Amino acid sequence: MQNNAGVKRREAFHPSPFKAALDKARPYLYLAPAALILFTFHLFPIVYGGFISLHQWGLKPGKMVGLQNYKLILADAEWWDSLLNTFYYVLTTVPLELGLGMLFAVLLFGKIKGRNLYRLSYFAPYITPLAAIGVVWGWVFNYNTGIINGVIRMLGGSAPRWLLEPTGILTLLGRFLGVKIPFGLEGPSLALVTISIVTVWHYVGFHTVIYLGGLTQIPKELFEAAKIDGANSFRVFRHIILPILSPTTLFLSVVGTIGAFQSITLIYVMTGMGWGGAGASGHPLGTTRVALLYIFEYFFTYTQTGYAMAGAILLFFIILFLSLLQMKVAGRRVFYLGEGD
Amino acid sequence: MRAYKIKWTVVLRHLALFSGACVMTFPFVWMILTSLKTSPEAAAIPPTFLPKELVLENFSRAWESAPFGRYFLNSVLQSVGTTVLVLFSSITASYSFSHINFKGKKVLFTLFLATMMVPVEISLIPNFVTIRHLGWYDTFYSLTVPFGANAFSIFMLRQAFMGLPKDMWDAAYCDGCGHFTYLLKIALPLVKASVSIIALLTFVGSWNSLLWPLIITSSTKMRTVQVGLLAFTQEAGTNFPLLMAASAFVIAPVLILFFFTQQHLIEGIAHSGVKG
Amino acid sequence: MSKKSIVLIGILSLLLTAFFGAAAAADSPTVLRLWHLQAGPLGTALEELVEDFNSQHPGIEVRPEFMGDATALHQKIMAAIAANDPPELAQVAETYAANYIAEDVLLPIENFFDGPNGLSAEDRADLVPTALKIATYDLEGRDTVVVWPFNISLEVMFYNPEMLAEAGLAVPSTWDEFNDVVRSLHLDNERWGYAWTPDVVLFINLLRSHGGRLFNDDLSEAAFNDEIGLEVMNYLVELVDNGTMITNGFDWQFELINERAALATNTIVSKAYIEADLGDRFELGVAPIPAGSKRSAVVWGSAFGIFQVDDEKSRAAWEFLKWIGKTEQVARWSAVSGYLPTRYSAFEDPLIKEQMEVNAALRVGLETLEFAQPEPNFVAWPQIRSAISNAVNAVALGLMTPEQALRDAAQKTNRILLMAN
């Protein structure tokens, strides 16, 4: 635009009215393309959804019912169960994804033979279509014929029912250890945990890649300085890598949580394939029915759009609240390279 | 003594990486192996590991099960188009959020973030209606524009821009450098790693999308590879070898893309000689 | 160029446009979009049928558009209705048809039956009543044929004849015999009598074949929570204890194929998939679903619906449906798809007759058609289905007693019905 530095500098000190106006408009101009698309295709739908949620609405607009849909959904025990399942799902996937993602990234960052091939193999799961890979994992975890149960039986253990098991994981663990687990503390069903395992497998490549990107931000000089100081690898990790990756970690925990709230494809593929289609998702016994799946069912299987949208709005605010909370709580501890000095 | 020690950690690292890679690629390898089996062998219990006879025809049969040639072209157009749009919109927006102070920044950023919380399934119907009003049904626009910006990329690039030293901009400004030049010539090359990650992830996301392309298109000339995969799953069963074969060739281009992008993940700021 | 020639060219081009414009108007066919669910080879077969129709009917052009699975198609229809632009024709799955009908977006097919291009008496007598029953919905208190039946599939029993013969057992024809077979063939951790993915279908089959009902007459309350329902649930428990393998999704097919289970019950359409994976292991047996105090089997179908469009288009759409419902087309479709014909005369078609001689499934299907009953088809059914399905699963997995599960399901059902009315 302006290559003449001299002219530029003069302008900076004696801004013309045009330049001043441009400077004022600049941030908004830069935001415009993204804002146009995001507001039209991603924000408007939720506003529209909010409008629908106040109506009795199936396929077509019905009469306005106020907050009736919200009252109904809040009174439905299954809705609360699905929220609990969602939290279980988030808690069993996001921390593992973060931890393993960081571990893999650190291992894959430095110079090591076959690095490209390793990276490829850690990223491959993320790009594999879920419809195909859900089937393969279904075979792996199959109660009767799965490879895992084959090994367990070979070792003389009693094989778990994996995707068929609606009993809570803590109850199962308690049974194994001979401890009685009180009502309410059963934990997620083994079926949901199984899906969590596959979820972590699928998404960890995504986290690894973003952590790798974060690692590139670390100036070489820092490592060299640390080496001169004689710091061992663990101290380098604890005092250099971990703090520098903290913005990435915050970012990934927010994005990962949102992602976990919104992923139903795998659950759908791995538990919803029963014959008969309708209402067959969330097996066994609804213990894998997460909130979005609940909404999805009311939306597209029962065609109760108004009711489903009420759920969607509630879910929207829950995710928004959690994300802002994460940023608020973690935000203070995040260390940006560009800051301070 | 010292050489021995270094070797040890390398061996350990290889061991960790290799066992991890085995777990990560196992289902994937299984997919490829299944794609080379006959249907009866794929259904065998206990399963066979290596195919008894290699059925390479599965790949040609899978390829012919749907107009995959056209679908590939469409998917490439869709993914490249979306990626270009996303890069443009998120670079400018995230720069604005990270380097310029303006009124309403906080509110706008929160609004942008809020778009991330809207599940795709929910926006399906309103977006369909919008697309109809725009006259974009069954066109290339409807495949690309609605996903031509996302809060995720903006958020991520903003984090990267915020990682740049503050006094760098001050110095550039004093040298008479405006925002536009600074962004293009100085800031952008420094966040190359993040940009390539965004490009990669957007491409993958676009390549893997199914529901939206299915709903918003109707003709073969606009349909994408993921829609092609539906040909193998029917009401009462699935042809597994064909589904696996098709899945394998559907992900191949993305694997190749990854192989090339990952180079950028080591050549970030570390080589640019910037001092904080 | 002279002035004269310019004028001449002007007039000529005007004339030409007028001519071709008019010709185009006269020639432009009525375009009907047909949103369908047939993937892969079945999709190709449907497209071929449509091509034949188009070449025989120059005034109409049907455009088949594949829309994925039933859920995706439903989503698209919902979106299209919101955008005020539904397709002229769509294949609708039973699950969703009730919604379309309740909200008045479909033109009832029955309107065309008595019209100028209607159905003859022979046509009506030829249509399989079960097929019509699947397409019939309660329209303001009157049973009306709303959609045009296309696919019918029904519940049959699959078995491994070698396993039965080896144990000297006959193919079970009643549920008691079925139970005996399951028990006799069960070998701990090695072989199971029956492979089953717990679902609502077996429950409905058992309930109906023992004289039970799902709902009371005016659809206001659950009726399955009675002695018959309890008997059915207890029977399920017995089946599981006696050697039923609980499977996930379509896994029962693998158990049958690998000779780890002797019996399975499922839709007749599964046959082709099982046989593709079967190789030369054994010859798959197909028999009618066992009977209780009477015979009963669940039948499903998908049908074509005409959406609310103008007269010209709806007439053209009916023309197409009438054509695709003719014996020749019905036979052709059934032969490639494995779905049962919707007309009796199609069973006499050489194409099907030939198949019937070698394919026992078709004979079983024809026999079962006589007593098969569809699932309920009112708006709230999918939700109730899910509640009953949970009860069946809980009982099958031994997590609830039959009494408890039935009571729970009945309570939920009553609440759903109350909300719906």
Side-chain angles (χ1 to χ4, degrees):
Chain A
M1 208 161 67
Q2 285 145 323
N3 291 324
N4 192 327
V7 173
K8 194 79 213 308
R9 193 179 301 167
R10 264 201 311 281
E11 271 183 8
F13 290 115
H14 308 283
S16 68
F18 171 72
K19 178 83 181 18
L22 180 70
D23 266 346
K24 245 191 162 153
R26 186 190 304 278
Y28 305 104
L29 274 176
Y30 280 19
L31 290 177
L36 203 65
I37 293 176
L38 287 178
F39 291 173
T40 315
F41 291 105
H42 301 269
L43 212 56
F44 165 68
I46 202 76
V47 176
Y48 187 65
F51 174 74
I52 291 178
S53 74
L54 301 175
H55 293 75
Q56 187 165 23
W57 196 306
L59 284 169
K60 293 195 281 191
K63 66 172 192 286
M64 170 107 176
V65 292
L67 294 176
Q68 179 73 21
N69 285 323
Y70 291 90
K71 273 186 208 145
L72 283 174
I73 199 169
L74 290 174
D76 185 9
E78 284 184 4
W79 165 249
W80 294 103
D81 287 344
S82 76
L83 276 180
L84 184 65
N85 288 338
T86 311
F87 282 107
Y88 283 147
Y89 188 58
V90 171
L91 290 177
T92 49
T93 54
V94 178
L96 264 178
E97 285 166 8
L98 289 176
L100 286 175
M102 191 187 286
L103 177 74
F104 292 161
V106 169
L107 285 174
L108 287 169
F109 186 63
K111 281 205 160 57
I112 187 155
K113 247 207 171 99
R115 184 181 59 199
N116 290 4
L117 223 53
Y118 278 136
R119 284 185 174 184
L120 198 64
S121 59
Y122 283 83
F123 190 64
Y126 180 63
I127 55 173
T128 314
L130 287 173
I133 219 66
V135 171
V136 175
W137 278 104
W139 292 337
V140 171
F141 282 111
N142 188 296
Y143 169 65
N144 298 300
T145 55
I147 298 147
I148 293 183
N149 277 3
V151 173
I152 291 176
R153 288 201 188 96
M154 218 164 65
L155 299 174
S158 70
R161 284 193 289 196
W162 302 113
L163 287 167
L164 291 171
E165 183 60 73
T167 313
I169 179 113
L170 296 178
T171 309
L172 290 174
L173 213 63
R175 229 180 260 165
F176 186 71
L177 301 169
V179 189
K180 182 116 178 64
I181 300 295
F183 178 78
L185 292 175
E186 299 91 344
S189 71
L190 182 59
L192 186 60
V193 173
T194 308
I195 291 171
S196 297
I197 294 170
V198 181
T199 307
V200 171
W201 173 84
H202 181 73
Y203 284 104
V204 76
F206 168 88
H207 293 254
T208 306
V209 163
I210 293 185
Y211 269 127
L212 276 172
L215 283 171
T216 61
Q217 305 244 339
I218 302 179
K220 247 188 191 161
E221 293 82 353
L222 265 180
F223 283 116
E224 276 152 19
K227 218 181 268 169
I228 292 165
D229 290 348
N232 63 23
S233 327
F234 176 74
R235 288 187 54 142
V236 170
F237 177 76
R238 172 74 190 77
H239 294 288
I240 299 180
I241 297 182
L242 212 54
I244 289 182
L245 283 184
S246 62
T248 312
T249 305
L250 166 64
F251 170 73
L252 279 178
S253 70
V254 173
V255 169
T257 307
I258 296 171
F261 264 91
Q262 296 182 353
S263 59
I264 49 170
T265 314
L266 205 54
I267 301 179
Y268 206 72
V269 172
M270 290 186 76
T271 66
M273 288 226 309
W275 162 242
S281 56
H283 276 315
L285 299 190
T287 58
T288 62
R289 187 192 288 122
V290 291
L292 188 59
L293 198 57
Y294 175 98
I295 294 169
F296 192 85
E297 263 180 45
Y298 276 90
F299 200 164
F300 294 121
T301 307
Y302 309 149
T303 322
Q304 299 185 15
T305 314
Y307 184 84
M309 281 303 181
I313 297 287
L314 290 176
L315 193 66
F316 170 79
F317 280 111
I318 293 170
I319 309 177
L320 188 64
F321 172 76
L322 282 179
S323 305
L324 293 177
L325 190 75
Q326 270 175 310
M327 286 193 269
K328 192 116 202 156
V329 171
R332 270 179 255 126
R333 293 191 212 153
V334 167
F335 165 79
Y336 288 99
L337 259 185
E339 277 171 8
D341 302 351
Chain B
M1 188 65 199
R2 207 181 145 200
Y4 175 73
K5 206 175 159 192
I6 287 170
K7 231 178 179 173
W8 223 165
T9 57
V10 169
V11 169
L12 263 177
R13 226 169 109 194
H14 267 296
L15 212 68
L17 279 174
F18 185 73
S19 45
C22 285
V23 175
M24 294 306 280
T25 47
F26 174 74
F28 194 70
V29 169
W30 193 254
M31 191 177 105
I32 304 286
L33 290 173
T34 307
S35 74
L36 294 166
K37 292 175 183 172
T38 60
S39 271
E41 197 188 345
I45 301 172
T48 54
F49 187 69
L50 292 172
K52 272 185 264 176
E53 47 167 326
L54 282 181
V55 194
L56 288 166
E57 298 92 79
N58 281 342
F59 280 83
S60 54
R61 275 184 61 202
W63 183 266
E64 283 154 14
S65 298
F68 270 109
R70 178 75 215 196
Y71 287 172
F72 261 92
L73 178 69
N74 293 340
S75 274
V76 168
L77 288 175
Q78 179 203 7
S79 304
V80 170
T82 310
T83 308
V84 169
L85 287 175
V86 165
L87 284 182
F88 177 71
S89 65
S90 53
I91 286 170
T92 53
S94 59
Y95 181 81
S96 186
F97 277 132
S98 62
H99 277 72
I100 311 178
N101 277 320
F102 57 91
K103 236 172 138 178
K105 182 167 164 178
K106 250 198 162 133
V107 178
L108 273 173
F109 188 65
T110 314
L111 275 180
F112 270 45
L113 276 189
T115 62
M116 241 197 305
M117 332 284 169
V118 186
V120 187
E121 289 82 1
I122 303 306
S123 26
L124 218 58
I125 289 177
N127 283 349
F128 185 93
V129 177
T130 309
I131 290 289
R132 269 292 189 196
H133 281 301
L134 292 170
W136 287 358
Y137 179 74
D138 203 28
T139 66
F140 182 61
Y141 298 116
S142 62
L143 283 177
T144 51
V145 176
F147 295 94
N150 63 64
F152 164 82
S153 303
I154 296 168
F155 190 9
M156 182 167 159
L157 258 185
R158 171 184 165 266
Q159 298 281 82
F161 277 134
M162 279 167 76
L164 297 180
K166 281 251 153 48
D167 42 8
M168 210 162 75
W169 159 243
D170 297 337
Y173 182 72
C174 286
D175 282 349
C177 186
H179 276 296
F180 189 76
T181 324
Y182 175 74
L183 167 60
L184 219 58
K185 294 267 164 68
I186 301 174
L188 206 51
L190 292 179
V191 294
K192 202 165 65 181
S194 299
V195 172
S196 43
I197 290 173
I198 288 171
L200 175 71
L201 294 177
T202 308
F203 190 93
V204 174
S206 188
W207 189 268
N208 282 353
S209 63
L210 168 63
L211 198 55
W212 178 252
L214 186 64
I215 301 269
I216 209 66
T217 63
S218 57
S219 58
T220 300
K221 68 177 201 294
M222 282 296 146
R223 287 275 163 93
T224 59
V225 285
Q226 302 293 335
V227 179
L229 287 185
L230 291 177
F232 307 103
T233 309
Q234 280 144 39
E235 188 184 328
T238 302
N239 188 329
F240 291 113
L242 291 195
L243 172 65
M244 299 300 162
S247 301
F249 63 64
V250 161
I251 61 178
V254 194
L255 280 180
I256 293 165
L257 180 79
F258 176 77
F259 206 77
F260 290 110
T261 357
Q262 63 159 348
Q263 292 302 329
H264 294 283
L265 302 182
I266 36 169
E267 296 163 4
I269 203 164
H271 295 271
S272 60
V274 171
K275 289 172 189 112
Chain C
M1 219 184 281
S2 70
K3 256 186 187 170
K4 227 180 183 173
S5 58
I6 291 177
V7 172
L8 209 70
I9 290 172
I11 292 169
L12 209 73
S13 59
L14 259 173
L15 274 171
L16 274 173
T17 352
F19 175 72
F20 281 109
D27 255 345
S28 82
T30 310
V31 174
L32 305 172
R33 284 166 297 167
L34 168 65
W35 291 359
H36 69 89
L37 297 165
Q38 307 308 151
L42 295 196
T44 316
L46 178 62
E47 273 162 25
E48 280 166 13
L49 273 176
V50 170
E51 248 167 60
D52 286 355
F53 172 83
N54 286 343
S55 62
Q56 290 168 29
H57 299 77
I60 306 173
E61 189 196 336
V62 177
R63 284 190 194 150
E65 294 172 358
F66 170 60
M67 290 306 157
D69 62 5
T71 315
L73 173 60
H74 177 55
Q75 288 170 353
K76 182 142 177 166
I77 288 176
M78 281 177 84
I81 287 169
N84 226 341
D85 183 30
E88 288 76 27
L89 281 163
Q91 191 175 7
V92 291
E94 284 170 288
T95 325
Y96 305 115
N99 281 301
Y100 305 148
I101 290 154
E103 303 222 22
D104 202 26
V105 295
L106 289 177
L107 282 177
I109 295 285
E110 214 179 287
N111 295 355
F112 298 98
F113 285 8
D114 296 321
N117 186 23
L119 294 179
S120 64
E122 297 91 71
D123 278 336
R124 284 187 212 210
D126 192 28
L127 283 167
V128 174
T130 315
L132 277 180
K133 204 182 270 173
I134 302 172
T136 301
Y137 291 80
D138 178 9
L139 212 67
E140 283 151 13
R142 204 174 69 82
D143 280 348
T144 312
V145 181
V146 183
V147 286
W148 188 242
F150 183 54
N151 287 341
I152 331 181
S153 62
L154 38 74
E155 187 88 344
V156 293
M157 181 177 75
F158 296 107
Y159 62 94
N160 181 330
E162 290 172 18
M163 248 190 235
L164 289 176
E166 224 168 85
L169 295 162
V171 178
S173 63
T174 67
W175 287 115
D176 288 337
E177 289 171 21
F178 188 88
N179 194 3
D180 289 340
V181 171
V182 169
R183 189 177 25 222
S184 341
L185 287 176
H186 182 213
L187 288 175
D188 255 344
N189 274 327
E190 207 176 291
R191 192 174 73 189
W192 286 262
Y194 177 42
W196 177 48
T197 296
D199 62 5
V200 108
V201 179
L202 183 64
F203 179 80
I204 299 178
N205 265 331
L206 284 165
L207 192 74
R208 285 177 175 165
S209 65
H210 288 87
R213 303 185 303 162
L214 283 165
F215 305 105
N216 63 358
D217 284 334
D218 59 354
L219 276 185
S220 61
E221 246 178 36
F224 56 80
N225 186 19
D226 60 358
E227 308 88 67
I228 302 175
L230 194 61
E231 196 187 316
V232 166
M233 282 292 194
N234 283 326
Y235 177 83
L236 288 178
V237 173
E238 230 179 289
L239 265 190
V240 172
D241 290 345
N242 281 345
T244 293
M245 180 200 277
I246 307 279
T247 57
N248 192 15
F250 296 121
D251 289 351
W252 60 270
Q253 294 185 358
F254 298 122
E255 306 301 340
L256 197 66
I257 288 163
N258 287 281
E259 303 172 65
R260 289 158 47 86
L263 303 168
T265 53
N266 217 286
T267 157
I268 195 166
V269 187
S270 322
K271 182 170 172 282
Y273 299 91
I274 301 174
E275 281 178 341
D277 290 348
L278 197 54
D280 48 10
R281 291 179 177 101
F282 62 91
E283 190 89 23
L284 182 70
V286 184
I289 202 110
S293 56
K294 58 181 187 179
R295 305 189 79 179
S296 170
V298 174
V299 57
W300 303 274
S302 72
F304 289 121
I306 302 179
F307 284 80
Q308 297 279 9
V309 286
D310 64 45
D311 279 355
E312 188 205 338
K313 285 194 165 176
S314 67
R315 270 199 306 275
W318 167 245
E319 181 75 42
F320 171 72
L321 294 188
K322 206 181 148 191
W323 180 83
I324 209 163
K326 285 200 170 127
T327 309
E328 191 195 338
Q329 279 72 248
V330 168
R332 246 173 92 187
W333 175 248
S334 170
V336 280
S337 67
Y339 289 104
L340 292 171
T342 51
R343 292 179 87 118
Y344 286 123
S345 58
F347 283 97
E348 302 299 323
D349 190 278
L351 210 56
I352 300 292
K353 241 184 158 164
E354 207 175 282
Q355 282 203 352
M356 270 187 58
E357 270 161 37
V358 289
N359 185 352
L362 267 172
R363 292 195 296 272
V364 170
L366 182 61
E367 181 187 337
T368 307
L369 268 180
E370 297 311 307
F371 56 84
Q373 294 285 333
E375 286 189 23
N377 64 4
F378 53 96
V379 172
W381 169 243
Q383 225 177 325
I384 294 169
R385 198 179 196 279
S386 163
I388 303 177
S389 165
N390 270 353
V392 172
N393 268 279
V395 168
L397 294 170
L399 295 162
M400 274 191 191
T401 63
E403 291 87 353
Q404 211 184 342
L406 273 179
R407 202 173 43 236
D408 269 21
Q411 266 170 11
K412 261 187 213 154
T413 303
N414 291 341
R415 212 181 55 223
I416 295 165
L417 285 173
L418 191 71
M419 301 262 274
N421 290 329

